[in-house]
Amino acid sequence: MAALATGLASAQSAPPPVAGLRPYERPASAPSVAEQPRTQEQLAHDLRGISAPVPGNVAEIAATGNWFVPLRRTGMAFPYDPRGLHDAPAPATLDAAAAATDDATAAAAAASQASAAQ
């Protein structure tokens, strides 16, 4: 019992461990992630609700790997949901998203031509 008490006392008085001689630098032998690429399915999921062509560098932001990006989160519901993420499921691929946008554009053009013909 005395040995246990002595061991606890010496453990408490010891200084905290320091990671090497330069604790402000990452050790050269420490593992690191060099690249974390996103798959096409992940990119399609992240870009749902954004019409094609994707504006500016939004696709690059969505493809940033393991960084936290609010673009990937669903966020608040109506009326604060301009992308409609709470309304419909995400398309399976980027091609499906582009096709859906093309279909919607074609339908809108046909409707405007029909109303102009009347």
Side-chain angles (χ1 to χ4, degrees):
M1 198 68 162
L4 180 61
T6 306
L8 290 175
S10 65
Q12 291 175 353
S13 64
V18 177
L21 299 176
R22 298 181 179 154
Y24 50 86
E25 292 181 4
R26 184 171 176 86
S29 62
S32 63
V33 177
E35 185 177 344
Q36 183 66 35
R38 310 255 319 148
T39 65
Q40 288 295 327
E41 291 80 17
Q42 290 171 323
L43 288 174
H45 181 269
D46 297 343
L47 296 174
R48 68 187 192 267
I50 300 174
S51 59
V54 177
N57 63 345
V58 173
E60 292 175 21
I61 292 170
T64 55
N66 283 339
W67 289 93
F68 171 77
V69 178
L71 175 73
R72 298 181 190 147
R73 305 294 183 253
T74 305
M76 295 176 66
F78 181 81
Y80 306 103
D81 186 19
R83 292 169 52 194
L85 301 181
H86 291 282
D87 296 340
T93 63
L94 288 175
D95 296 333
T101 304
D102 293 342
D103 292 343
T105 305
S112 65
Q113 287 176 356
S115 63
Q118 293 176 358

